[in-house]
Amino acid sequence: MDLKYVRIQGRELSYVTKAPKGVFSLCWRLIYDGIMSGEDAAIFKETEQWFVDHLSEPPMCTTGDQKIICYFKTASTVHMLDRLQPILELLDKYRRPYDVVYTNYVGEVVYEDVYQVAVKVEN
């Protein structure tokens, strides 16, 4: 079976969306809470910057108009998933559980580009 979307998410819920936090949010929480070392924070920030530089941010992420979560498109993001490896290693190191969720059914898509979809979260 070909699955169209993937999301790597934690098991703790976002205060805003009430959906599982994405991997970037999980790492930022480790930094804000003073748990992640400076060296590891630098690795995370460098990895995250690659995504900022190469992946469009859905407009509704910056406006806060809607509660959304994002999924990668599996057909066009294999190289991006490889880029996430340092972040996954950090989550493992700091014992933060995460799940890799593959699906064809993401809900109401409110943004789409070549690499991702943003999905409205219903609470």
Side-chain angles (χ1 to χ4, degrees), residues 7-57:
R7 183 167 198 266
I8 304 171
Q9 61 189 27
R11 295 185 184 160
E12 56 190 85
L13 301 181
S14 163
Y15 176 77
V16 175
T17 65
K18 308 298 187 256
K21 289 182 179 181
V23 292
F24 296 106
S25 294
L26 291 172
C27 284
W28 277 114
R29 183 81 269 148
L30 290 168
I31 292 169
Y32 294 147
D33 289 346
I35 296 169
M36 189 179 285
S37 74
E39 181 179 312
D40 289 342
I43 291 168
F44 164 70
K45 290 175 184 177
E46 180 181 325
T47 304
E48 183 194 44
Q49 189 60 50
W50 186 90
F51 284 89
V52 169
D53 293 343
H54 293 88
L55 190 64
S56 298
E57 185 171 19

Side-chain angles (χ1 to χ4, degrees), residues 13 62 66 73 84-85 103 107 121:
L13 301 181
T62 58
Q66 299 178 40
K73 292 180 174 180
L84 281 174
Q85 193 58 41
T103 186
V121 175

Side-chain angles (χ1 to χ4, degrees), residues 1-7 71-75 101-109 117 119:
M1 172 187 272
D2 290 331
L3 296 167
K4 296 190 285 188
Y5 307 104
V6 62
R7 183 167 198 266
Y71 289 82
F72 287 112
K73 292 180 174 180
T74 56
V101 178
Y102 286 90
T103 186
N104 284 330
Y105 308 101
V106 293
E108 182 182 345
V109 174
V117 294
V119 178

